[in-house]
Amino acid sequence: MPTTNAETYFARSVKAFQKDDLDKSLKLNNQAIDADPQFVEAYFFRGTLYIELALFEAAVGDFDKALKLGWKNEDLFLQRAHAYFSLESYKKAIADCSKVIKLNPSNAESYHLRGSAYNAIDNHLKALEDLTKAITLNPNNYLYFLSRASVYMIDNQIQNGLADLNKVIEMEPDLALAYYSRGRIYEDLGEEAKAEADFQTAEELGFDIDDFEEGLLDDDDDWDDDEDWDDDDWDDAEWEEEDDKK
């Protein structure tokens, strides 16, 4: 079959993306959609481009459009969950991750992201359950251990957090944040020499402790969502009919 203009633009957009030319990729993808406004794959791909460009609201809009056109799969829901998470719409991120898990219970990243979202709304029990599941499915991803260590520290499970950070450092010995975080644990345990050694290593790796801690103080921990909800509802929810929302 002959290639359409839309398909040509889209193929060129993908090639530009593979070369890390995001602006060119976006321009070509826009041309693909202009040539064929029903080109569902182009909406999905542009949504992923918007995430790379930190244009998260635009990304959600394109994923919604792809859903309206019938593109329902785990990749779309996971990508939209990432966009929602970046927008601090944690409940919506949890809902999309749950949809991914229904489609593919072995998708480790969906558990990781949902666990991180639960942590953001202070549901540490569910966060730990999901992060542990992510690690079970993919024990080679240091980010999963790092995320779980953070929850353990918040939940005052110091030894568990220390064990996870030791694992992170074993896997990624140049990760400055891991040394800083472990240093904080050693500080809490009264092991000052070990804490200072880890803080020094973090700084030698380029970690600015003062700036980081100042940022923590400035963080607004509030999350804005007016709806009442029950955490368990997300896991048992029926598929939402996206078209009804348009």
Side-chain angles (χ1 to χ4, degrees):
M1 294 179 61
T3 302
T4 66
N5 287 338
E7 290 170 334
T8 299
Y9 286 128
F10 182 71
R12 291 170 60 194
S13 173
V14 172
K15 287 183 179 180
F17 178 81
Q18 292 169 342
K19 295 178 180 179
D20 293 324
D21 192 341
L22 299 185
D23 291 335
K24 182 177 181 180
S25 181
L26 180 59
K27 180 180 179 180
L28 289 165
N29 201 92
N30 288 340
Q31 290 175 304
I33 291 173
D34 288 342
D36 181 2
Q38 304 300 309
F39 195 170
V40 60
E41 190 173 357
Y43 286 104
F44 171 73
F45 187 71
R46 191 171 67 178
T48 63
L49 276 170
Y50 281 141
I51 287 178
E52 292 291 328
L53 294 166
L55 299 172
F56 303 112
E57 290 184 0
V60 169
D62 270 358
F63 295 141
D64 288 347
K65 180 66 174 180
L67 279 169
K68 188 175 181 179
L69 292 171
W71 187 273
K72 291 186 178 182
N73 58 45
E74 64 180 281
D75 292 334
L76 187 148
F77 287 122
L78 186 58
Q79 289 293 329
R80 192 173 67 171
H82 276 291
Y84 279 139
F85 187 91
S86 296
L87 291 168
E88 300 182 5
S89 296
Y90 299 121
K91 295 192 306 186
K92 292 179 178 179
I94 289 167
D96 272 358
C97 286
S98 295
K99 291 174 182 176
V100 175
I101 290 166
K102 283 188 176 183
L103 288 167
N104 180 5
S106 298
N107 188 305
E109 178 56 23
S110 61
Y111 286 101
H112 174 240
L113 184 57
R114 191 173 71 173
S116 299
Y118 276 131
N119 184 45
I121 59 174
D122 295 326
N123 191 330
H124 302 142
L125 178 61
K126 282 188 173 290
L128 288 172
E129 288 175 354
D130 274 354
L131 294 170
T132 299
K133 181 65 173 180
I135 289 168
T136 299
L137 290 168
N138 183 2
N140 298 316
N141 192 320
Y142 75 92
L143 289 174
Y144 297 174
F145 287 96
L146 187 63
S147 295
R148 191 174 66 173
S150 176
V151 182
Y152 277 140
M153 292 166 68
I154 293 170
D155 205 40
N156 204 33
Q157 298 188 45
I158 302 302
Q159 292 299 331
N160 287 334
L162 180 59
D164 273 359
L165 288 170
N166 286 338
K167 184 68 174 178
V168 172
I169 290 169
E170 177 186 330
M171 297 169 74
E172 293 288 329
D174 294 329
L175 187 65
L177 178 60
Y179 289 98
Y180 167 78
S181 300
R182 192 174 68 175
R184 291 297 303 272
I185 287 182
Y186 282 137
E187 198 172 50
D188 290 342
L189 292 172
E191 299 187 39
E192 297 297 333
K194 289 183 178 180
E196 286 302 319
D198 272 354
F199 291 149
Q200 181 177 344
T201 300
E203 290 182 328
E204 288 172 354
L205 290 169
F207 192 82
D208 191 320
I209 292 176
D210 290 337
D211 281 356
F212 181 77
E213 293 184 345
E214 183 178 344
L216 290 178
L217 291 174
D218 291 340
D219 275 347
D220 181 4
D221 293 329
D222 294 335
W223 51 280
D224 182 19
D225 203 324
D226 295 330
E227 301 174 18
D228 294 328
W229 75 314
D230 183 332
D231 292 346
D232 293 329
D233 289 344
W234 292 119
D235 294 331
D236 300 325
E238 296 294 332
W239 283 85
E240 296 176 2
E241 289 297 327
E242 298 290 337
D243 291 353
D244 292 343
K245 297 182 179 181
K246 307 302 179 183

